[in-house]
Tab-separated table of all heavy atoms in Angstrom:
chain	number	residue	atom	x	y	z
A	1	MET	N	115.613	91.009	103.530
A	1	MET	CA	115.344	92.380	103.990
A	1	MET	C	116.050	93.279	103.008
A	1	MET	O	117.159	92.906	102.422
A	1	MET	CB	116.020	92.647	105.311
A	1	MET	CG	115.858	94.116	105.816
A	1	MET	SD	116.405	94.270	107.536
A	1	MET	CE	114.839	93.932	108.318
A	2	GLY	N	115.414	94.410	102.551
A	2	GLY	CA	115.979	95.416	101.657
A	2	GLY	C	115.499	96.705	101.867
A	2	GLY	O	114.646	96.954	102.759
A	3	LEU	N	115.929	97.723	101.061
A	3	LEU	CA	115.279	98.952	101.113
A	3	LEU	C	113.886	99.008	100.751
A	3	LEU	O	113.532	98.275	99.849
A	3	LEU	CB	116.115	99.975	100.121
A	3	LEU	CG	117.489	100.400	100.446
A	3	LEU	CD1	118.177	101.105	99.386
A	3	LEU	CD2	117.448	101.205	101.784
A	4	ALA	N	113.029	99.705	101.529
A	4	ALA	CA	111.622	99.752	101.258
A	4	ALA	C	111.381	100.488	99.864
A	4	ALA	O	111.705	101.572	99.657
A	4	ALA	CB	110.927	100.488	102.364
A	5	ASP	N	110.788	99.623	98.950
A	5	ASP	CA	110.406	100.161	97.779
A	5	ASP	C	109.204	99.324	97.187
A	5	ASP	O	109.071	98.257	97.626
A	5	ASP	CB	111.592	100.209	96.900
A	5	ASP	CG	111.715	99.515	95.514
A	5	ASP	OD1	110.787	98.719	95.225
A	5	ASP	OD2	112.664	99.706	94.817
A	6	ALA	N	108.445	99.891	96.366
A	6	ALA	CA	107.124	99.287	95.964
A	6	ALA	C	107.364	97.839	95.324
A	6	ALA	O	106.495	97.071	95.381
A	6	ALA	CB	106.450	100.185	95.043
A	7	SER	N	108.542	97.691	94.687
A	7	SER	CA	108.731	96.426	94.065
A	7	SER	C	109.483	95.339	94.766
A	7	SER	O	109.643	94.253	94.211
A	7	SER	CB	109.445	96.696	92.658
A	7	SER	OG	110.690	97.221	92.837
A	8	PHE	N	110.068	95.650	96.012
A	8	PHE	CA	110.885	94.657	96.537
A	8	PHE	C	110.102	93.346	96.924
A	8	PHE	O	110.715	92.335	96.836
A	8	PHE	CB	111.498	95.371	97.882
A	8	PHE	CG	112.446	94.423	98.562
A	8	PHE	CD1	113.707	94.257	98.045
A	8	PHE	CD2	112.117	93.777	99.760
A	8	PHE	CE1	114.674	93.400	98.596
A	8	PHE	CE2	113.163	92.898	100.283
A	8	PHE	CZ	114.374	92.715	99.789
A	9	GLU	N	109.024	93.466	97.517
A	9	GLU	CA	108.191	92.233	97.895
A	9	GLU	C	108.034	91.392	96.662
A	9	GLU	O	108.264	90.137	96.730
A	9	GLU	CB	106.881	92.604	98.516
A	9	GLU	CG	106.036	91.437	98.856
A	9	GLU	CD	104.685	91.763	99.643
A	9	GLU	OE1	104.602	92.796	100.122
A	9	GLU	OE2	103.862	90.909	99.511
A	10	ALA	N	107.631	91.977	95.532
A	10	ALA	CA	107.400	91.163	94.253
A	10	ALA	C	108.724	90.546	93.827
A	10	ALA	O	108.735	89.376	93.281
A	10	ALA	CB	106.827	92.053	93.161
A	11	LEU	N	109.863	91.274	93.983
A	11	LEU	CA	111.168	90.726	93.601
A	11	LEU	C	111.452	89.472	94.426
A	11	LEU	O	111.915	88.556	93.888
A	11	LEU	CB	112.231	91.791	93.839
A	11	LEU	CG	113.698	91.308	93.777
A	11	LEU	CD1	114.108	90.945	92.323
A	11	LEU	CD2	114.632	92.358	94.409
A	12	VAL	N	111.294	89.499	95.750
A	12	VAL	CA	111.622	88.448	96.525
A	12	VAL	C	110.704	87.160	96.207
A	12	VAL	O	111.141	86.103	96.065
A	12	VAL	CB	111.448	88.718	98.111
A	12	VAL	CG1	111.525	87.509	98.960
A	12	VAL	CG2	112.509	89.823	98.494
A	13	VAL	N	109.441	87.449	95.921
A	13	VAL	CA	108.529	86.436	95.651
A	13	VAL	C	108.954	85.735	94.216
A	13	VAL	O	108.997	84.580	93.987
A	13	VAL	CB	107.095	86.881	95.488
A	13	VAL	CG1	106.113	85.869	94.739
A	13	VAL	CG2	106.497	87.230	96.872
A	14	GLU	N	109.371	86.566	93.242
A	14	GLU	CA	109.810	86.124	92.022
A	14	GLU	C	111.163	85.285	92.129
A	14	GLU	O	111.226	84.120	91.457
A	14	GLU	CB	110.203	87.262	91.021
A	14	GLU	CG	110.352	86.920	89.570
A	14	GLU	CD	111.845	86.636	89.310
A	14	GLU	OE1	112.731	87.306	89.862
A	14	GLU	OE2	112.146	85.701	88.648
A	15	ILE	N	112.046	85.670	92.980
A	15	ILE	CA	113.312	84.866	93.139
A	15	ILE	C	112.915	83.501	93.750
A	15	ILE	O	113.474	82.573	93.307
A	15	ILE	CB	114.302	85.722	93.966
A	15	ILE	CG1	114.795	86.838	93.160
A	15	ILE	CG2	115.409	84.763	94.405
A	15	ILE	CD1	115.656	87.882	93.965
A	16	VAL	N	112.114	83.522	94.808
A	16	VAL	CA	111.854	82.256	95.478
A	16	VAL	C	110.985	81.314	94.575
A	16	VAL	O	111.256	80.183	94.523
A	16	VAL	CB	111.062	82.466	96.708
A	16	VAL	CG1	110.468	81.174	97.342
A	16	VAL	CG2	112.011	83.198	97.777
A	17	SER	N	110.111	81.987	93.697
A	17	SER	CA	109.350	81.234	92.822
A	17	SER	C	110.167	80.436	91.636
A	17	SER	O	109.642	79.570	90.981
A	17	SER	CB	108.261	82.034	92.106
A	17	SER	OG	107.393	82.573	93.089
A	18	ARG	N	111.431	80.882	91.466
A	18	ARG	CA	112.284	80.168	90.500
A	18	ARG	C	112.565	78.801	91.051
A	18	ARG	O	112.844	77.877	90.284
A	18	ARG	CB	113.628	80.887	90.396
A	18	ARG	CG	113.477	82.198	89.717
A	18	ARG	CD	114.841	82.839	89.632
A	18	ARG	NE	114.722	84.255	89.306
A	18	ARG	CZ	115.660	85.173	89.536
A	18	ARG	NH1	116.893	84.734	89.977
A	18	ARG	NH2	115.520	86.394	89.210
A	19	HIS	N	112.489	78.533	92.382
A	19	HIS	CA	112.853	77.337	92.889
A	19	HIS	C	111.748	76.644	93.588
A	19	HIS	O	111.915	75.309	93.960
A	19	HIS	CB	113.945	77.573	93.884
A	19	HIS	CG	115.116	78.319	93.285
A	19	HIS	ND1	116.097	77.623	92.609
A	19	HIS	CD2	115.448	79.587	93.442
A	19	HIS	CE1	116.932	78.480	92.152
A	19	HIS	NE2	116.641	79.743	92.676
A	20	ALA	N	110.645	77.180	93.818
A	20	ALA	CA	109.501	76.596	94.559
A	20	ALA	C	108.212	77.019	93.918
A	20	ALA	O	108.157	78.019	93.206
A	20	ALA	CB	109.538	76.959	96.074
A	21	SER	N	107.164	76.320	94.337
A	21	SER	CA	105.817	76.815	93.821
A	21	SER	C	105.525	78.246	94.222
A	21	SER	O	105.986	78.541	95.375
A	21	SER	CB	104.698	75.842	94.424
A	21	SER	OG	104.831	74.583	93.932
A	22	ARG	N	105.012	78.939	93.459
A	22	ARG	CA	104.692	80.412	93.746
A	22	ARG	C	103.849	80.400	95.081
A	22	ARG	O	102.837	79.721	95.075
A	22	ARG	CB	103.906	81.041	92.656
A	22	ARG	CG	103.796	82.504	92.823
A	22	ARG	CD	103.343	83.206	91.510
A	22	ARG	NE	103.606	84.578	91.628
A	22	ARG	CZ	104.667	85.287	91.412
A	22	ARG	NH1	105.729	84.613	91.026
A	22	ARG	NH2	104.775	86.605	91.462
A	23	PRO	N	104.202	81.119	96.179
A	23	PRO	CA	103.473	81.133	97.334
A	23	PRO	C	102.145	81.866	97.256
A	23	PRO	O	102.040	82.783	96.410
A	23	PRO	CB	104.390	81.880	98.319
A	23	PRO	CG	105.246	82.626	97.506
A	23	PRO	CD	105.388	81.913	96.159
A	24	ALA	N	101.172	81.365	97.925
A	24	ALA	CA	99.844	82.036	97.905
A	24	ALA	C	100.061	83.426	98.699
A	24	ALA	O	100.954	83.569	99.364
A	24	ALA	CB	98.828	81.210	98.727
A	25	GLU	N	99.138	84.284	98.410
A	25	GLU	CA	99.268	85.622	98.862
A	25	GLU	C	99.246	85.662	100.423
A	25	GLU	O	99.985	86.344	100.979
A	25	GLU	CB	98.042	86.501	98.463
A	25	GLU	CG	98.096	87.914	98.617
A	25	GLU	CD	97.080	88.740	97.954
A	25	GLU	OE1	96.754	88.438	96.739
A	25	GLU	OE2	96.544	89.706	98.677
A	26	ALA	N	98.420	84.641	100.978
A	26	ALA	CA	98.409	84.526	102.481
A	26	ALA	C	99.794	84.038	103.038
A	26	ALA	O	100.106	84.170	104.236
A	26	ALA	CB	97.328	83.590	102.888
A	27	ASP	N	100.710	83.510	102.190
A	27	ASP	CA	101.934	82.994	102.656
A	27	ASP	C	103.108	84.033	102.568
A	27	ASP	O	104.255	83.648	102.708
A	27	ASP	CB	102.355	81.727	101.957
A	27	ASP	CG	101.391	80.577	102.213
A	27	ASP	OD1	100.892	80.550	103.404
A	27	ASP	OD2	101.154	79.815	101.406
A	28	VAL	N	102.737	85.246	102.173
A	28	VAL	CA	103.651	86.381	101.957
A	28	VAL	C	103.313	87.479	102.854
A	28	VAL	O	102.142	87.915	102.875
A	28	VAL	CB	103.786	86.734	100.571
A	28	VAL	CG1	104.817	87.862	100.309
A	28	VAL	CG2	104.090	85.536	99.586
A	29	SER	N	104.290	87.949	103.656
A	29	SER	CA	104.020	89.166	104.434
A	29	SER	C	105.264	90.076	104.420
A	29	SER	O	106.355	89.667	104.156
A	29	SER	CB	103.702	88.776	105.953
A	29	SER	OG	104.931	88.123	106.496
A	30	ALA	N	104.986	91.364	104.562
A	30	ALA	CA	106.032	92.384	104.558
A	30	ALA	C	105.936	93.240	105.848
A	30	ALA	O	104.816	93.571	106.251
A	30	ALA	CB	106.009	93.142	103.273
A	31	ARG	N	106.992	93.771	106.332
A	31	ARG	CA	106.958	94.611	107.476
A	31	ARG	C	108.050	95.706	107.347
A	31	ARG	O	109.155	95.412	107.053
A	31	ARG	CB	107.223	93.723	108.777
A	31	ARG	CG	107.163	94.602	109.966
A	31	ARG	CD	107.405	93.718	111.125
A	31	ARG	NE	107.453	94.526	112.373
A	31	ARG	CZ	107.822	94.110	113.537
A	31	ARG	NH1	108.044	92.865	113.714
A	31	ARG	NH2	107.876	94.937	114.442
A	32	LEU	N	107.566	96.904	107.389
A	32	LEU	CA	108.424	98.073	107.326
A	32	LEU	C	109.250	98.245	108.729
A	32	LEU	O	108.581	97.966	109.738
A	32	LEU	CB	107.656	99.279	106.983
A	32	LEU	CG	107.216	99.503	105.528
A	32	LEU	CD1	106.336	100.702	105.482
A	32	LEU	CD2	108.306	99.658	104.656
A	33	SER	N	110.395	98.765	108.607
A	33	SER	CA	111.092	99.150	109.724
A	33	SER	C	110.421	100.332	110.429
A	33	SER	O	109.657	101.007	109.800
A	33	SER	CB	112.591	99.529	109.380
A	33	SER	OG	112.638	100.635	108.640
A	34	ARG	N	110.891	100.635	111.665
A	34	ARG	CA	110.226	101.718	112.383
A	34	ARG	C	110.415	103.095	111.562
A	34	ARG	O	109.425	103.862	111.547
A	34	ARG	CB	110.869	101.850	113.672
A	34	ARG	CG	110.252	102.920	114.616
A	34	ARG	CD	110.809	103.091	115.920
A	34	ARG	NE	111.262	101.823	116.517
A	34	ARG	CZ	112.012	101.723	117.542
A	34	ARG	NH1	112.490	102.719	118.154
A	34	ARG	NH2	112.303	100.443	118.008
A	35	GLY	N	111.497	103.295	110.928
A	35	GLY	CA	111.786	104.469	110.263
A	35	GLY	C	111.291	104.419	108.792
A	35	GLY	O	111.329	105.440	108.168
A	36	GLY	N	110.876	103.286	108.388
A	36	GLY	CA	110.346	103.150	107.083
A	36	GLY	C	111.327	102.986	105.946
A	36	GLY	O	110.913	102.967	104.826
A	37	LYS	N	112.611	102.839	106.261
A	37	LYS	CA	113.718	102.822	105.158
A	37	LYS	C	113.873	101.362	104.734
A	37	LYS	O	114.126	101.141	103.601
A	37	LYS	CB	114.997	103.363	105.767
A	37	LYS	CG	116.128	103.265	104.838
A	37	LYS	CD	117.426	103.789	105.421
A	37	LYS	CE	118.653	103.687	104.388
A	37	LYS	NZ	119.821	104.269	104.883
A	38	TRP	N	113.582	100.403	105.585
A	38	TRP	CA	113.836	98.991	105.255
A	38	TRP	C	112.496	98.268	105.298
A	38	TRP	O	111.494	98.574	105.913
A	38	TRP	CB	114.771	98.404	106.291
A	38	TRP	CG	116.112	99.119	106.363
A	38	TRP	CD1	116.382	100.050	107.277
A	38	TRP	CD2	117.146	99.019	105.449
A	38	TRP	NE1	117.637	100.488	107.071
A	38	TRP	CE2	118.178	99.882	105.910
A	38	TRP	CE3	117.321	98.302	104.285
A	38	TRP	CZ2	119.383	100.061	105.288
A	38	TRP	CZ3	118.690	98.449	103.690
A	38	TRP	CH2	119.581	99.263	104.143
A	39	VAL	N	112.393	97.160	104.501
A	39	VAL	CA	111.343	96.219	104.546
A	39	VAL	C	111.766	94.804	104.716
A	39	VAL	O	112.826	94.456	104.124
A	39	VAL	CB	110.372	96.474	103.303
A	39	VAL	CG1	111.124	96.101	101.995
A	39	VAL	CG2	109.076	95.655	103.461
A	40	SER	N	111.176	94.021	105.462
A	40	SER	CA	111.464	92.595	105.671
A	40	SER	C	110.319	91.925	104.941
A	40	SER	O	109.103	92.185	105.156
A	40	SER	CB	111.626	92.095	107.087
A	40	SER	OG	110.465	92.291	107.851
A	41	VAL	N	110.589	90.873	104.110
A	41	VAL	CA	109.537	90.077	103.504
A	41	VAL	C	109.791	88.606	104.013
A	41	VAL	O	110.809	88.056	104.014
A	41	VAL	CB	109.827	90.075	101.971
A	41	VAL	CG1	108.669	89.237	101.329
A	41	VAL	CG2	109.692	91.622	101.453
A	42	THR	N	108.702	88.033	104.418
A	42	THR	CA	108.663	86.685	104.893
A	42	THR	C	107.699	85.882	104.033
A	42	THR	O	106.650	86.298	103.687
A	42	THR	CB	108.070	86.668	106.377
A	42	THR	OG1	108.808	87.431	107.222
A	42	THR	CG2	107.982	85.227	106.839
A	43	LEU	N	108.252	84.661	103.533
A	43	LEU	CA	107.540	83.798	102.708
A	43	LEU	C	107.492	82.427	103.311
A	43	LEU	O	108.514	81.965	103.917
A	43	LEU	CB	108.203	83.505	101.416
A	43	LEU	CG	108.032	84.628	100.344
A	43	LEU	CD1	108.960	85.763	100.536
A	43	LEU	CD2	108.177	84.103	99.026
A	44	THR	N	106.338	81.755	103.289
A	44	THR	CA	106.116	80.414	103.807
A	44	THR	C	106.041	79.420	102.657
A	44	THR	O	105.201	79.733	101.859
A	44	THR	CB	105.053	80.298	104.704
A	44	THR	OG1	105.124	81.197	105.878
A	44	THR	CG2	104.922	78.923	105.337
A	45	ILE	N	107.023	78.568	102.575
A	45	ILE	CA	106.905	77.545	101.447
A	45	ILE	C	107.182	76.093	102.053
A	45	ILE	O	107.584	75.969	103.145
A	45	ILE	CB	108.032	77.770	100.305
A	45	ILE	CG1	109.369	77.608	100.974
A	45	ILE	CG2	107.829	79.115	99.668
A	45	ILE	CD1	110.524	77.427	99.984
A	46	GLN	N	106.833	75.204	101.198
A	46	GLN	CA	107.038	73.704	101.705
A	46	GLN	C	108.347	73.357	101.027
A	46	GLN	O	108.266	73.108	99.734
A	46	GLN	CB	105.862	72.837	101.152
A	46	GLN	CG	106.043	71.379	101.601
A	46	GLN	CD	106.023	71.091	103.037
A	46	GLN	OE1	105.239	71.686	103.678
A	46	GLN	NE2	106.967	70.304	103.572
A	47	ALA	N	109.434	73.290	101.586
A	47	ALA	CA	110.715	72.941	100.915
A	47	ALA	C	110.818	71.461	100.751
A	47	ALA	O	110.283	70.555	101.442
A	47	ALA	CB	111.904	73.316	101.843
A	48	GLU	N	111.434	71.176	99.592
A	48	GLU	CA	111.544	69.689	99.162
A	48	GLU	C	112.890	69.099	99.484
A	48	GLU	O	113.123	67.990	99.547
A	48	GLU	CB	111.152	69.594	97.727
A	48	GLU	CG	109.723	69.971	97.369
A	48	GLU	CD	109.406	70.039	95.909
A	48	GLU	OE1	110.299	69.595	95.116
A	48	GLU	OE2	108.394	70.493	95.550
A	49	SER	N	113.929	70.003	99.547
A	49	SER	CA	115.243	69.491	99.848
A	49	SER	C	116.167	70.701	100.349
A	49	SER	O	115.817	71.844	100.206
A	49	SER	CB	115.906	68.941	98.530
A	49	SER	OG	116.106	70.008	97.630
A	50	ARG	N	117.229	70.248	100.929
A	50	ARG	CA	118.369	71.167	101.386
A	50	ARG	C	118.908	71.991	100.159
A	50	ARG	O	119.091	73.103	100.223
A	50	ARG	CB	119.380	70.478	102.187
A	50	ARG	CG	120.515	71.456	102.591
A	50	ARG	CD	119.933	72.332	103.530
A	50	ARG	NE	121.074	73.344	103.913
A	50	ARG	CZ	121.117	73.949	105.054
A	50	ARG	NH1	120.222	73.755	105.928
A	50	ARG	NH2	122.074	74.753	105.214
A	51	ALA	N	119.025	71.178	98.999
A	51	ALA	CA	119.563	71.927	97.827
A	51	ALA	C	118.635	72.950	97.308
A	51	ALA	O	119.204	73.952	96.801
A	51	ALA	CB	119.801	70.804	96.745
A	52	GLN	N	117.357	72.753	97.452
A	52	GLN	CA	116.405	73.773	97.079
A	52	GLN	C	116.583	75.029	97.895
A	52	GLN	O	116.545	76.149	97.423
A	52	GLN	CB	114.993	73.190	97.171
A	52	GLN	CG	113.957	74.203	96.699
A	52	GLN	CD	112.481	73.825	97.180
A	52	GLN	OE1	112.216	73.067	98.120
A	52	GLN	NE2	111.564	74.089	96.281
A	53	LEU	N	116.653	74.811	99.148
A	53	LEU	CA	116.833	75.934	100.131
A	53	LEU	C	118.179	76.637	99.826
A	53	LEU	O	118.165	77.885	99.848
A	53	LEU	CB	116.819	75.433	101.575
A	53	LEU	CG	115.411	74.993	102.149
A	53	LEU	CD1	115.578	74.421	103.503
A	53	LEU	CD2	114.452	76.125	102.090
A	54	ASP	N	119.213	75.911	99.573
A	54	ASP	CA	120.507	76.478	99.326
A	54	ASP	C	120.366	77.352	97.933
A	54	ASP	O	120.973	78.442	97.982
A	54	ASP	CB	121.515	75.481	99.176
A	54	ASP	CG	121.929	74.848	100.480
A	54	ASP	OD1	121.605	75.363	101.541
A	54	ASP	OD2	122.611	73.766	100.462
A	55	ALA	N	119.724	76.870	96.931
A	55	ALA	CA	119.569	77.683	95.729
A	55	ALA	C	118.741	78.890	95.965
A	55	ALA	O	119.173	80.005	95.400
A	55	ALA	CB	118.965	76.709	94.712
A	56	ILE	N	117.843	78.827	96.780
A	56	ILE	CA	117.011	80.066	97.049
A	56	ILE	C	117.855	81.068	97.820
A	56	ILE	O	117.906	82.267	97.433
A	56	ILE	CB	115.715	79.749	97.875
A	56	ILE	CG1	114.653	78.880	97.088
A	56	ILE	CG2	115.066	80.946	98.442
A	56	ILE	CD1	113.535	78.323	97.951
A	57	TYR	N	118.561	80.561	98.794
A	57	TYR	CA	119.500	81.485	99.459
A	57	TYR	C	120.472	82.114	98.653
A	57	TYR	O	120.750	83.316	98.731
A	57	TYR	CB	120.214	80.710	100.628
A	57	TYR	CG	121.114	81.465	101.559
A	57	TYR	CD1	120.575	82.203	102.583
A	57	TYR	CD2	122.474	81.504	101.205
A	57	TYR	CE1	121.499	83.031	103.414
A	57	TYR	CE2	123.383	82.247	102.017
A	57	TYR	CZ	122.821	82.915	103.026
A	57	TYR	OH	123.695	83.802	103.843
A	58	CYS	N	121.163	81.327	97.726
A	58	CYS	CA	122.156	81.873	96.909
A	58	CYS	C	121.617	82.874	95.932
A	58	CYS	O	122.191	83.942	95.697
A	58	CYS	CB	122.796	80.732	95.998
A	58	CYS	SG	123.849	79.696	97.016
A	59	ASP	N	120.304	82.734	95.339
A	59	ASP	CA	119.806	83.700	94.444
A	59	ASP	C	119.352	84.984	95.260
A	59	ASP	O	119.643	86.064	94.582
A	59	ASP	CB	118.569	83.107	93.758
A	59	ASP	CG	118.931	82.284	92.567
A	59	ASP	OD1	120.171	82.095	92.233
A	59	ASP	OD2	118.020	81.762	91.806
A	60	LEU	N	118.878	84.805	96.440
A	60	LEU	CA	118.479	86.005	97.182
A	60	LEU	C	119.667	86.854	97.504
A	60	LEU	O	119.765	88.032	97.345
A	60	LEU	CB	117.729	85.623	98.451
A	60	LEU	CG	116.344	85.218	98.197
A	60	LEU	CD1	115.794	84.505	99.536
A	60	LEU	CD2	115.408	86.271	97.785
A	61	THR	N	120.804	86.203	98.038
A	61	THR	CA	121.913	86.921	98.437
A	61	THR	C	122.750	87.507	97.309
A	61	THR	O	123.440	88.503	97.477
A	61	THR	CB	122.864	85.994	99.294
A	61	THR	OG1	123.179	84.875	98.601
A	61	THR	CG2	122.149	85.627	100.576
A	62	ALA	N	122.625	86.919	96.118
A	62	ALA	CA	123.329	87.470	95.014
A	62	ALA	C	122.631	88.679	94.331
A	62	ALA	O	123.247	89.408	93.601
A	62	ALA	CB	123.324	86.382	93.847
A	63	HIS	N	121.387	88.924	94.724
A	63	HIS	CA	120.582	90.092	94.120
A	63	HIS	C	121.111	91.339	94.880
A	63	HIS	O	121.059	91.376	96.060
A	63	HIS	CB	119.152	89.965	94.190
A	63	HIS	CG	118.455	90.823	93.214
A	63	HIS	ND1	118.333	92.237	93.531
A	63	HIS	CD2	118.008	90.640	92.065
A	63	HIS	CE1	117.675	92.751	92.564
A	63	HIS	NE2	117.469	91.890	91.622
A	64	GLU	N	121.371	92.413	94.138
A	64	GLU	CA	121.869	93.605	94.728
A	64	GLU	C	120.902	94.329	95.668
A	64	GLU	O	121.215	95.127	96.547
A	64	GLU	CB	122.338	94.601	93.677
A	64	GLU	CG	121.232	95.092	92.716
A	64	GLU	CD	121.751	95.848	91.553
A	64	GLU	OE1	122.954	95.777	91.223
A	64	GLU	OE2	120.820	96.584	90.939
A	65	SER	N	119.575	94.124	95.459
A	65	SER	CA	118.593	94.842	96.232
A	65	SER	C	118.261	94.103	97.628
A	65	SER	O	117.770	94.669	98.470
A	65	SER	CB	117.200	94.795	95.501
A	65	SER	OG	117.389	95.657	94.336
A	66	VAL	N	118.824	92.822	97.705
A	66	VAL	CA	118.679	92.116	98.939
A	66	VAL	C	119.829	92.371	99.836
A	66	VAL	O	120.957	92.139	99.481
A	66	VAL	CB	118.432	90.611	98.700
A	66	VAL	CG1	118.312	89.860	99.994
A	66	VAL	CG2	117.248	90.353	97.833
A	67	VAL	N	119.597	92.914	101.088
A	67	VAL	CA	120.650	93.219	101.912
A	67	VAL	C	120.962	92.143	103.028
A	67	VAL	O	122.068	91.918	103.259
A	67	VAL	CB	120.319	94.603	102.629
A	67	VAL	CG1	121.382	95.026	103.752
A	67	VAL	CG2	120.083	95.693	101.720
A	68	TRP	N	119.877	91.378	103.368
A	68	TRP	CA	120.052	90.488	104.418
A	68	TRP	C	119.155	89.321	104.272
A	68	TRP	O	117.935	89.618	103.952
A	68	TRP	CB	119.824	91.136	105.814
A	68	TRP	CG	120.259	90.430	106.930
A	68	TRP	CD1	121.231	89.480	107.005
A	68	TRP	CD2	119.790	90.644	108.310
A	68	TRP	NE1	121.365	89.056	108.320
A	68	TRP	CE2	120.505	89.737	109.113
A	68	TRP	CE3	118.776	91.418	108.772
A	68	TRP	CZ2	120.232	89.611	110.469
A	68	TRP	CZ3	118.497	91.183	110.152
A	68	TRP	CH2	119.244	90.399	111.002
A	69	VAL	N	119.489	88.075	104.403
A	69	VAL	CA	118.722	86.917	104.273
A	69	VAL	C	118.844	86.019	105.455
A	69	VAL	O	119.995	85.738	105.920
A	69	VAL	CB	119.028	86.116	102.903
A	69	VAL	CG1	118.198	84.816	102.906
A	69	VAL	CG2	118.852	86.925	101.767
A	70	LEU	N	117.715	85.608	106.097
A	70	LEU	CA	117.735	84.594	107.156
A	70	LEU	C	117.207	83.331	106.660
A	70	LEU	O	116.331	83.192	105.917
A	70	LEU	CB	116.937	85.051	108.359
A	70	LEU	CG	117.438	86.243	109.032
A	70	LEU	CD1	116.408	86.728	110.145
A	70	LEU	CD2	118.786	86.015	109.705
């Protein structure tokens, strides 16, 4: 989740793609908050290991535009 901006979804996809196959367009969704200030991006990937998931989590949380990661 991060501030709603035109490039946030692409940023999240790019970060995740460093560690996993680039998700198909159908495997990526975005949802704006009620007030439109925030956007949540959901990606569906086939994880290969816990280490891969940890690396994705670390890269996402390290980026200044990402506010929250589940």
Side-chain angles (χ1 to χ4, degrees):
M1 179 174 272
L3 287 172
D5 122 352
S7 63
F8 186 73
E9 183 177 334
L11 169 71
V12 172
V13 170
E14 189 273 319
I15 291 171
V16 172
S17 296
R18 294 177 195 164
H19 305 282
S21 298
R22 189 166 195 83
E25 195 171 314
D27 294 329
V28 179
S29 63
R31 182 175 173 191
L32 284 174
S33 65
R34 186 180 322 165
K37 180 177 180 179
W38 305 99
V39 63
S40 64
V41 178
T42 301
L43 281 85
T44 302
I45 63 164
Q46 182 68 40
E48 297 173 8
S49 68
R50 178 64 186 207
Q52 179 190 37
L53 290 175
D54 290 343
I56 292 169
Y57 181 84
C58 285
D59 276 3
L60 285 169
T61 56
H63 198 282
E64 63 187 19
S65 295
V66 177
V67 176
W68 195 25
V69 178
L70 292 177

